[in-house]
Amino acid sequence: MAIEKPLVITAGEPAGIGPELCLTLAHERLPCGVVVISDANVLRDRAEATGIRTTVTEIEVADAATASACNGELLVISE
């Protein structure tokens, strides 16, 4: 059963494990979409540093409820 509204989470402390966990969410099959609130460049840098192949796509807050991502894509509301 798919949930219509996305799960909105923060990546937490940039130096912590949160950004990596968010990047891995982009590759998981979940019952709802995921939108991350974070600095998009931090996520891009972490993806490159860890080899987690993820496309980081910035979106506006107003688009969060209706935006959808492809597998391997992470939707981000940049701080």
Side-chain angles (χ1 to χ4, degrees):
M1 176 173 108
I3 300 171
E4 292 181 27
K5 302 268 183 185
L7 173 66
V8 179
I9 60 173
T10 64
E13 170 61 38
I17 194 169
E20 288 174 47
L21 293 174
C22 290
L23 292 168
T24 60
L25 282 177
H27 301 277
E28 296 296 320
R29 257 189 111 113
L30 301 170
C32 64
V34 174
V35 176
V36 176
I37 300 173
S38 180
D39 182 317
N41 290 324
V42 167
L43 292 169
R44 288 183 186 108
D45 291 345
R46 188 66 61 88
E48 185 176 332
T50 59
I52 302 172
R53 293 185 174 196
T54 304
T55 301
V56 176
T57 303
E58 294 182 62
I59 64 169
E60 298 294 323
V61 172
D63 299 326
T66 58
S68 62
C70 300
N71 188 32
E73 179 182 26
L74 187 64
L75 301 178
V76 178
I77 298 171
S78 200
E79 296 180 321

